[in-house]
Amino acid sequence: MSSLPRGPFEPQDHFALRLPSDPQISPDARRVAFVRTRADAQADTWLSELCVVDRSTGSYHEIGSGSQPRWAPLGESLAYVRAHGSGHVIERWHAGSGHREVLATLDQAPSGLAWSPDGLRLAFVMRVPAVQADAPVPGWEHLRTEQWAPRGVYTDRLVRRAEGLPGDLPEGHHHIFMLDVASGALRQLTRGARDHGGPSTWITKLALAGHISWDPGGCHLIMSMPGQQPRTGAHDPHAVLVADVYEFDVADGTVRQLTQFGGPACQATVSPDGQWIAFVGFRNERKSFHTNVVHVMPRAGGALRALPHPRQLEVHQQLQWLPDSAGLLVLLPEAGDGCLVRLDLDGQWTTLTRDVGGSAATGYLLYQKGVSVARDGTVAYLRGSTSRTDEVALLQPDGMPGEVLTQESAWVDQRLLAPIETLWLPARRPNSTAPSWQAWLVRPAGVPAEQPVPLILWLHGGPYLAWCPHLAILPQIWAARGFAVLMVNPRGSLGYGEAFIDELQHDFPGPEDLQLLDMVDDVVARGGIDPQRVHVAGESGGGVMTAWLIGHSTRFASAAAIYGVMDWASMALTVDRPDYYGYYWLPAPPWAAGMAEHYRRRSPLSLVQQVRTPTLLLCGECDWRTPVSQSEMYFTALKLCGVEAALVRFPDNNHSLEWHPSHWLDLIEHVDRWFRRHSGRCEKQRNGS
């Protein structure tokens, strides 16, 4: 019986994606829970579903909607969070019987679920709404009817939004709560005007608070937490990236500060034997990107030790103690590989596997990955490849590969995969710290290598992120439509050492980034690319770079800048973290002496009069990271300068267009039509036609 022919990737394959995340192996290693994220075509939203795989039988338990799965200490039950009406519930699923019970019904969303060592309590973080002071009622208030416009929105907060969340942040503070599992009694452990988690403690790649770690005796909680910001006076930018390790007495909430770190100490976690505390962080040097380092300190007090990676690679924030407390498991990127590494307390690094997955949508390396470990040392993680999206897989206690537990990407077997070639493209500028930049070329399946095809230079965001060669459907869709896709990791990309990252320090974008033009010409010279049909597209930091390149060159037939920054001065004052970007990514705020010229030189808007490339701008209207005004002003400037341009605004969507899957389908069609419409234009531009 012949198998069905494979079909091409299509935009609607977004609705076929089944993306596992947060793999949690039970302490007895018998079961693995994970969250499956999938797009719902009916509701046009992403759903989170909780699944458990039984290793002995291979059977799936589909628990339903839920997130944050956390096993009880004996592994016999699983706690998780589920949305319920306008609120949330914490539920428990019993592995033996499949019985479910509601442990707590809450008005606010809990996060950071953590079982006590005896399995009798659950700790978590939850927002406590602010008590609104009574305001005087104006004399005309009695005139108000249902037809009146909404009231004006008052705020006195510097940070009032968080990318990824709709609208303004609600008033209040996030505190630690204790839930008695048997009785359902809920107790607020912390109080005051400090956040112990929540969006106000998110700073780009760092969550300064929110992760709860119990000591083995169950008497104390350990958490890293930011310092208290002053309420009045000029902004102190150094205080934005300061967090220390704190100990909370479970009995009475007494707090003791354990570090004076001088930077962000994040993800503080107690070792299973109670002897050590580990965290990820760095000494704050006011850089645009600091490389994370693992630190270890004695639980009883003593010297703090940094365990930096010998090749100065960036360590991801999540870490896990090994069950014997002899070391930790960490994730790090290296030259396009997602690496799971064992770190011993003596500073020895051992790579266990290099196949931790990437993002299945666009191609990012190690994007939002997780890992967990059982008492016998079996590790659950997310395994990716060039031919499959992520699956939940195991590493055996001796570090050898274990079984793959899921088949969430089986549908990919019915698609025709475009081949992916690894390239190292020479860097030709004298200031480069690397002799070559890593890249991947995706060519249409079944097309001979010598047959010329159009090319898309696809630029990643961050800019402190990185591409990887694992299967991602966006470049596969473009390849299915006849384009070759070139994905370069330029300076600043993760996985090539700290010096490569530091090249972008207050120099993004900069003259050195124009090496991308040379690299495109190198790829065209290899053959198989139509030199008149070379296009460029990029998202976020890649959107910045797209506008930067077309401001310096007419090499491209057309361009698509997707939610990029076009003017740093206005971005620094309208972004969701105005307390951070204008003081770290840039040397000083825009009004400081000498900064007007610095901001202008780094802003693609300052080059708009040199642009000749037809350009498409795309952005979400609820993007708080690169606000839609950035795309709107660049579009307007292009039109005023006589450049062919178009603007696509996506209503009710954020940065990265994460809220509605249909908008990614729409984006693909807009970009595809734009590139096809402008194929063959670049030679005319270069000849002045």
Side-chain angles (χ1 to χ4, degrees), residues 109-313:
S111 61
L113 262 64
W115 284 93
S116 63
D118 58 11
L120 299 179
R121 293 160 291 176
L122 274 168
F124 57 88
V125 172
M126 186 172 64
R127 185 176 69 90
V128 177
V131 177
Q132 300 295 328
D134 292 333
V137 178
W140 48 263
E141 183 64 27
H142 70 282
L143 299 174
R144 184 178 298 277
T145 70
E146 293 182 357
Q147 285 73 44
W148 279 35
R151 290 180 172 88
V153 180
Y154 171 88
T155 186
D156 60 2
R157 294 179 294 171
L158 173 61
V159 178
R160 59 189 182 276
R161 288 172 174 165
E163 171 50 40
L165 298 178
D168 285 4
L169 293 174
E171 298 279 357
H173 293 281
H174 285 73
H175 287 287
I176 301 174
F177 285 79
M178 305 289 297
L179 173 66
D180 183 89
V181 173
S183 67
L186 191 63
R187 176 167 63 98
Q188 183 176 334
L189 185 67
T190 61
R191 301 183 184 276
R194 296 183 70 175
D195 275 304
H196 298 71
S200 68
T201 65
W202 305 343
I203 308 288
T204 61
K205 64 172 182 171
L206 298 169
L208 302 182
H211 173 75
I212 298 171
S213 179
W214 288 80
D215 73 348
C219 296
H220 297 91
L221 301 179
I222 300 297
M223 175 185 278
S224 48
M225 194 170 64
Q228 194 161 8
Q229 291 271 12
R231 300 289 294 178
T232 59
H235 172 60
D236 176 10
H238 192 82
V240 175
L241 283 188
V242 171
D244 280 290
V245 182
Y246 292 82
E247 174 192 85
F248 300 86
D249 190 298
V250 172
D252 59 12
T254 303
V255 183
R256 185 165 69 99
Q257 185 171 338
L258 302 183
T259 63
Q260 292 281 349
F261 183 53
C266 304
Q267 201 83 6
T269 306
V270 184
S271 61
D273 64 6
Q275 299 300 306
W276 304 95
I277 296 174
F279 64 85
V280 173
F282 49 80
R283 307 289 182 176
N284 189 353
E285 301 176 23
R286 288 276 303 277
K287 294 166 62 175
S288 55
F289 188 95
H290 298 78
T291 299
N292 270 337
V293 173
V294 178
H295 295 75
V296 176
M297 58 184 288
R299 172 74 176 86
L304 179 66
R305 288 189 293 134
L307 305 176
H309 194 278
R311 290 186 292 282
Q312 296 181 310
L313 297 176

Side-chain angles (χ1 to χ4, degrees), residues 510-559:
E512 298 299 316
D513 297 310
L514 300 180
Q515 293 178 98
L516 286 164
L517 299 170
D518 300 327
M519 294 175 182
V520 167
D521 287 337
D522 288 345
V523 172
V524 171
R526 296 168 76 243
I529 301 296
D530 185 341
Q532 297 188 40
R533 294 188 290 165
V534 178
H535 311 269
V536 59
E539 61 169 356
S540 193
V544 181
M545 190 59 63
T546 296
W548 184 252
L549 293 178
I550 64 175
H552 285 88
S553 172
T554 58
R555 176 67 186 87
F556 301 103
S558 64

Side-chain angles (χ1 to χ4, degrees), residues 357-439:
S359 71
T362 52
Y364 286 113
L365 173 64
L366 270 185
Y367 192 69
Q368 296 182 342
K369 301 306 167 189
V371 62
S372 62
V373 59
R375 282 193 297 264
D376 68 355
T378 304
V379 175
Y381 74 108
L382 300 172
R383 180 182 298 173
S385 73
T386 58
S387 59
R388 284 291 189 97
T389 57
D390 283 359
E391 302 289 1
V392 180
L394 300 179
L395 286 179
Q396 298 175 12
D398 60 3
M400 297 299 293
E403 65 260 41
V404 177
L405 299 178
T406 60
Q407 293 292 321
E408 299 292 321
S409 60
W411 65 273
V412 174
D413 293 339
Q414 303 304 316
R415 298 293 182 269
L416 190 61
L417 289 170
I420 303 172
E421 179 185 0
T422 302
L423 306 174
W424 288 90
L425 302 174
R428 298 175 178 173
R429 304 232 172 187
N431 295 331
S432 296
T433 62
S436 56
W437 294 356
Q438 192 175 23

Side-chain angles (χ1 to χ4, degrees), residues 568-569 586-587 589-603 606:
W568 287 106
L586 296 140
W591 58 84
M595 285 298 101
E597 178 59 19
H598 181 93
Y599 277 69
R600 189 195 68 81
R601 286 201 318 270
R602 297 289 178 266
S603 296
S606 69

Side-chain angles (χ1 to χ4, degrees), residues 8-9 416-419 442-445 447 453 456 473-485 676:
F9 278 89
L416 190 61
L417 289 170
V442 185
R443 280 187 61 85
V447 176
V453 296
I456 298 173
I473 66 170
L474 185 57
Q476 289 287 335
I477 291 168
W478 281 335
R481 294 190 172 192
F483 293 94
V485 183
R676 293 184 188 281

Side-chain angles (χ1 to χ4, degrees), residues 31-33 50-54 60-63 70-72 75-80 90-103 115:
R31 302 173 180 89
V32 178
L50 194 58
C51 307
V52 176
V53 181
D54 190 311
Y60 263 45
H61 300 277
E62 302 278 357
I63 297 178
R70 296 297 180 264
W71 290 102
E76 82 291 352
S77 64
L78 183 75
Y80 57 94
I90 300 176
E91 288 188 347
R92 178 165 62 172
W93 175 79
H94 293 269
S97 64
H99 173 68
R100 309 180 200 188
E101 60 179 318
V102 174
L103 301 180
W115 284 93

